[in-house]
Amino acid sequence: MKKRKNILFLIVCIGSFFGYSQYTDVINSNRPGLSVSAYAVGKNVFQTEFGLSYEQQDHSLLATESNLIGVDFSLRYGLLFEELELNWEGTFQNQNITFTNFGTDDSRTNFSRNRIGVKYLVYDPFKNPERNKPNIRSWRANHKFQLKNLLPAVSLYAGVNFVLGDNPFFQGDPTISPRVMIATQSKFTPRLVFISNIAYDRIGTDFPELSYLISISQAFRNPKWSAFLENQGIKSDRYSDVLLRTGIAHLLSEKLQVDVNLGVSMKDTPSRLFASIGGSYRWDFHKDTLIPIEDQKAGENGGKIKRNAFKKKDGEKGLSKKEARRQRKAARKKAKKKKKQDEKEFIEF
């Protein structure tokens, strides 16, 4: 019985870690890679994702050597609906360039990425709880690959790039240019997640850009740890390349995740070697519109409190508002305590 309970907890924890519902108790971050999840952070959830990066570039044709130090950031907010997310993401960089043929140096500093957009989940195959019920009798059934897991969640993104002032990274570009993207996310197994992004960027400029991102994430036996492998392809008259990234992430708490990643390019015009370290934190102001499962099961009254708080049955007086709130609070507290106990038993297992 204990083993079954631990298996169920693992499934719930992994699902929360990778964001397989619109709102989860655990932070759902796009870091450490650049791929974007199909899922939003959840209504009234504000999330920050930051990283410090270093990159070494060598261009064989231009005979230049460069090093770049930058700050990556993403501010995400769920508004109006569970499926809708507003985000601002960017990279502010300083690049020092050495022209080896002439022995001269130069530098440039500005945003190499600066955009605001909205993402909306249009299809979620995991929304139906009956489709995703765990098999409490078979560990293998819950962890083996199933064809139905190939069906991905799908979201659409629309946003704009901003080029402010005299930006040396994008000389000649207009101040604003559109960007569109489609993001998909599949759960091959409870521990293995596949994400893909296809984007058309800087639409209407002299150098529009078509790109793709493919990312695979694998959780370890301790679901607080995960690793990822990512492939990015970029096609543009300004810059084209194929990039590979890998790294790990660790969940310090339900609200805080830290990560590290490194990557390399597949060409030498320029060759690129880069690394980043960062973290993600969220402020959770989400409120359930439905009765949580925990409330339905916790305590003698549980989820029935909200439905029956002001009803009279068999001539009995209904609960007052104050008493109903008190009992709901007690039920949630009991459910939270039980969850922590399950986590403790899982770690020991």
Side-chain angles (χ1 to χ4, degrees):
M1 184 65 186
K2 182 178 178 181
K3 186 173 181 180
R4 288 181 183 176
K5 185 165 62 174
N6 288 326
I7 292 172
L8 289 176
F9 173 73
L10 173 62
I11 294 168
V12 172
C13 192
I14 294 293
S16 297
F17 185 72
F18 288 112
Y20 286 112
S21 62
Q22 273 316 107
Y23 170 78
T24 64
D25 292 329
V26 180
I27 186 172
N28 171 24
S29 176
N30 288 327
R31 290 189 61 88
L34 287 183
S35 60
V36 174
S37 163
Y39 292 91
V41 291
K43 185 179 177 182
N44 295 328
V45 174
F46 177 64
Q47 188 162 303
T48 60
E49 302 173 8
F50 285 92
L52 297 175
S53 61
Y54 176 80
E55 180 174 336
Q56 180 69 43
Q57 291 186 5
D58 296 305
H59 202 298
S60 60
L61 295 181
L62 298 180
T64 60
E65 297 177 355
S66 304
N67 62 76
L68 299 92
I69 298 176
V71 177
D72 306 310
F73 66 88
S74 177
L75 306 180
R76 307 168 61 189
Y77 182 69
L79 71 163
L80 300 180
F81 315 106
E82 295 289 349
E83 298 85 1
L84 185 64
E85 175 183 305
L86 173 68
N87 58 69
W88 174 29
E89 53 189 345
T91 302
F92 191 81
Q93 284 186 328
N94 171 258
Q95 180 179 19
N96 295 312
I97 310 171
T98 299
F99 298 90
T100 55
N101 287 345
F102 303 98
T104 59
D105 298 322
D106 194 10
S107 66
R108 52 184 180 176
T109 302
N110 213 306
F111 283 97
S112 61
R113 182 178 58 140
N114 186 27
R115 55 186 179 236
I116 295 177
V118 292
K119 181 178 67 176
Y120 185 77
L121 181 71
V122 295
Y123 177 70
D124 181 7
F126 304 98
K127 193 171 184 178
N128 182 1
E130 292 298 321
R131 179 185 180 275
N132 301 286
K133 284 174 116 180
N135 188 333
I136 63 174
R137 300 180 181 277
S138 172
W139 185 94
R140 183 177 181 277
N142 290 318
H143 289 76
K144 71 177 183 179
F145 173 77
Q146 302 179 61
L147 286 177
K148 68 177 183 179
N149 293 337
L150 292 175
L151 192 63
V154 180
S155 68
L156 300 177
Y157 169 95
V160 290
N161 299 287
F162 292 94
V163 177
L164 305 177
D166 185 16
N167 190 326
F169 292 105
F170 300 103
Q171 292 182 352
D173 278 17
T175 302
I176 296 177
S177 60
R179 168 185 167 86
V180 294
M181 180 181 68
I182 180 171
T184 70
Q185 184 165 336
S186 302
K187 179 186 68 172
F188 289 164
T189 71
R191 294 186 180 186
L192 187 64
V193 178
F194 177 80
I195 293 175
S196 70
N197 300 161
I198 299 177
Y200 190 41
D201 205 357
R202 306 194 177 279
I203 302 170
T205 70
D206 293 336
F207 302 100
E209 179 181 291
L210 182 64
S211 65
Y212 73 84
L213 271 163
I214 297 174
S215 177
I216 296 178
S217 299
Q218 172 72 44
F220 300 144
R221 181 174 180 180
N222 180 349
K224 292 184 178 181
W225 288 91
S226 69
F228 87 102
L229 181 64
E230 185 174 87
N231 171 231
Q232 180 180 15
I234 303 169
K235 177 65 176 177
S236 171
D237 289 339
R238 173 182 277 144
Y239 172 66
S240 297
D241 209 340
V242 175
L243 308 174
L244 292 177
R245 295 184 187 87
T246 187
I248 57 174
H250 178 57
L251 199 64
L252 293 178
S253 70
E254 293 181 347
K255 297 182 179 181
L256 178 62
Q257 174 187 295
V258 293
D259 61 78
V260 61
N261 73 85
L262 53 87
V264 65
S265 65
M266 295 290 102
K267 55 186 289 188
D268 60 1
T269 54
S271 63
R272 301 175 60 187
L273 181 64
F274 45 88
S276 175
I277 183 171
S280 307
Y281 187 83
R282 77 171 182 175
W283 286 263
D284 189 353
F285 305 104
H286 184 276
K287 292 184 179 180
D288 291 323
T289 56
L290 298 176
I291 302 168
I293 294 176
E294 293 90 344
D295 284 3
Q296 295 177 23
K297 295 182 178 180
E300 186 177 353
N301 295 313
K304 298 179 182 179
I305 296 172
K306 186 173 183 179
R307 292 194 299 271
N308 300 332
F310 311 110
K311 291 182 180 180
K312 292 183 179 181
K313 187 175 181 180
D314 298 329
E316 296 180 0
K317 186 178 180 180
L319 296 175
S320 66
K321 290 184 179 180
K322 184 176 180 180
E323 179 62 18
R325 285 196 298 268
R326 187 192 70 78
Q327 292 193 27
R328 288 199 301 272
K329 185 177 180 180
R332 286 193 294 269
K333 185 176 180 181
K334 185 174 181 180
K336 189 174 181 180
K337 183 178 179 181
K338 184 176 182 299
K339 180 181 176 182
K340 288 184 178 180
Q341 181 62 31
D342 287 342
E343 292 178 357
K344 183 179 179 182
E345 290 181 1
F346 170 74
I347 296 300
E348 292 174 352
F349 171 74

